[in-house]
């Protein structure tokens, strides 16, 4: 049994070899949505093949110049007690989340010094969502630190994931060693299965026209993502859904009883990462932008810390979750639709899609 962090998960940078994904922008609007369930014309289906089984527990994996293996693995109450005992600044995990302690052996078999960082590692379950946790001090010795050529170290790394997450494995994909040649996946239990294959979802033409945006429940499918708008919550109804970071603005801010008369809008989405690459891809919060009737992002909108779980973050190909995005929208804003366009300034072939909810 496992769970995830009591703090916000840190955002990762876009990795070389991973697909680009988003453009600056934000969004806004009002309430109702028509419930239309339709899928556009299909083209070639997209989806990744199941990866090979992870390196068995206790055996050595090669990740570029590194040789990695997993020793002890602690989860559940034992892991929570061990993490909390390290320092008073280590908080217990929030409800529904648990700590995972992994003892890692790392050897630098190369001819150059390397540096290991807690952020180089993640635990990934059957849901396909990498869980990194950098805000907790692990038990000593920690795995992080410099590693000279020929040097080896055994140390602990701490992670957090939902307690109902299954099939957890350890992934190494360092920012300082880019490329699949320096990545590895290691089992955290003796009978760890291979990652499940991603569903084959064909790109469609839903939402390509601003004049005919996707409606509530209608799937948008691009080469990299399937996005479905499930629900829209506005004003005072958003306030109890968010945590202290957004609630600190006050309930009057949520309902527009403030100087800029802006209203909180939260969208619940089902997000599925597609593609055939083994590396995680990152969905940034600014993949979603509120646009005007000309399709231009509205300026000066405030992006809020959304309800949990947040839509933005890393996804393994095939990962699916229901998650949120939230913004503070001026009541007088000329909001026509929400545009979904990850990494617009980097994408070789931008494929903007539009969602409406009012």
């Amino acid at each position: 049994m496992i769970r995830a962090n009591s703090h916000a998960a840190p955002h990762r940078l876009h990795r070389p070899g991973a697909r680009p994904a988003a453009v600056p922008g934000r969004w806004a609007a009002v309430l109702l949505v028509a419930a239309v369930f339709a899928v556009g014309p299909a083209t070639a289906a997209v989806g990744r093949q199941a990866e090979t089984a992870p390196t068995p527990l206790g055996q050595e994996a090669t990740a570029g110049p590194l040789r990695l293996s997993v020793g002890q693995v602690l989860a559940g109450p034992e892991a929570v007690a061990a993490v909390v005992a390290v320092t008073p600044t280590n908080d217990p995990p929030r409800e529904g989340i648990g700590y995972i302690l992994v003892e890692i052996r790392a050897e630098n078999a190369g001819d150059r010094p390397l540096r290991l960082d807690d952020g180089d590692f993640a635990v990934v379950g059957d849901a396909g969502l990498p869980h990194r946790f950098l805000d907790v001090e692990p038990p000593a010795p920690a795995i992080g630190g410099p590693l000279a050529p020929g040097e080896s170290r055994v140390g602990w790394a701490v992670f957090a994931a939902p307690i109902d997450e299954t099939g957890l494995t350890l992934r190494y994909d360092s920012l300082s060693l880019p490329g699949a040649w320096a990545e590895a996946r290691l089992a955290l239990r003796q009978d760890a299965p291979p990652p499940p294959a991603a569903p084959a979802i064909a790109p469609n033409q839903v939402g390509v026209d601003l004049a005919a945006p996707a409606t509530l429940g209608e799937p948008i499918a691009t080469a990299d993502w399937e996005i479905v708008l499930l629900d829209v919550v506005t004003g005072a109804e958003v306030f109890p859904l968010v945590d202290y970071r957004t609630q600190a603005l006050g309930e009057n801010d949520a309902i527009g009883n403030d100087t800029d008369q802006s209203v909180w809008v939260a969208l619940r989405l089902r997000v599925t990462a597609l593609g055939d690459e083994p590396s995680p891809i990152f969905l940034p919060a600014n993949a979603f932008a509120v646009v005007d009737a000309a399709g231009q992002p509205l300026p000066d909108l405030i992006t809020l810390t959304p309800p949990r779980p947040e839509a933005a973050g890393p996804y393994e190909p095939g990962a699916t979750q229901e998650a949120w995005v939230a913004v503070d929208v001026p009541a007088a804003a000329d909001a026509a639709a929400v545009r979904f366009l990850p990494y617009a300034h980097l994408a070789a072939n931008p494929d903007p899609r539009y969602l409406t909810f009012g």
Side-chain angles (χ1 to χ4, degrees), residues 45-320:
V46 179
R48 107 185 125 121
Q49 299 297 315
E51 296 180 28
T52 57
T55 300
L57 185 64
Q59 295 188 22
E60 189 174 77
T62 299
L66 283 174
R67 305 294 180 264
L68 300 170
S69 60
V70 171
Q72 300 180 69
V73 180
L74 303 180
E78 185 180 10
V80 173
V83 172
V84 171
V86 172
T87 171
T89 61
N90 280 359
D91 295 325
R94 61 183 173 85
E95 184 178 357
I97 300 302
Y99 289 139
I100 307 155
L101 275 170
V102 181
E103 185 186 46
I104 302 169
R105 181 185 184 277
E107 178 186 356
N108 182 359
D111 57 4
R112 297 183 180 181
L114 298 173
R115 181 172 183 84
L116 292 176
D117 188 274
D118 291 342
D120 294 338
F121 298 91
V123 291
V124 184
D126 289 337
L129 301 172
H131 301 288
R132 305 181 194 271
F133 195 71
L134 307 184
D135 297 338
V136 161
E137 183 178 340
I143 190 61
L147 204 60
E151 184 182 1
S152 63
R153 177 185 302 116
V154 176
W156 292 95
V158 60
F159 307 94
I163 57 175
D164 57 358
E165 185 75 277
T166 58
L168 286 174
T169 58
L170 179 73
R171 172 185 276 278
Y172 174 81
D173 57 344
S174 171
L175 280 173
S176 61
L177 294 172
W181 75 287
E183 296 180 2
R185 188 188 293 268
L186 299 93
L188 296 181
R189 67 182 197 196
Q190 293 291 352
D191 58 344
I201 298 176
N204 61 29
Q205 297 299 303
V206 173
V208 297
D209 187 352
L210 178 59
T215 57
L216 192 71
E218 191 174 15
I220 285 173
T222 69
D224 297 331
W225 302 96
E226 183 188 65
I227 304 293
V228 184
L229 177 63
L230 301 176
D231 195 13
V232 179
V233 182
T234 61
E237 295 181 0
V238 180
F239 192 82
L241 300 178
V242 297
D243 66 16
Y244 66 93
R245 290 168 293 181
T246 302
Q247 287 184 346
L249 297 172
E251 190 166 4
N252 283 336
D253 192 84
I255 62 177
N257 188 15
D258 56 357
T259 55
D260 62 0
Q261 297 184 326
S262 57
V263 177
W264 295 0
V265 179
L267 278 75
R268 184 167 63 93
L269 307 160
R270 185 173 70 241
V271 180
T272 302
L274 309 177
D276 55 3
E277 296 181 1
S279 299
I281 55 178
F282 190 87
L283 182 67
N286 62 7
F288 299 91
V290 180
V291 296
D292 59 22
Q296 295 302 309
L298 297 177
D300 302 325
L301 291 180
I302 298 174
T303 299
L304 302 173
T305 300
R308 291 189 176 101
E310 182 177 358
Y315 291 72
E316 297 264 311
T320 298

Side-chain angles (χ1 to χ4, degrees), residues 29-51:
V30 218
L31 288 83
L32 298 181
V33 193
V36 179
F37 298 87
V39 178
T43 60
V46 179
R48 107 185 125 121
Q49 299 297 315
E51 296 180 28

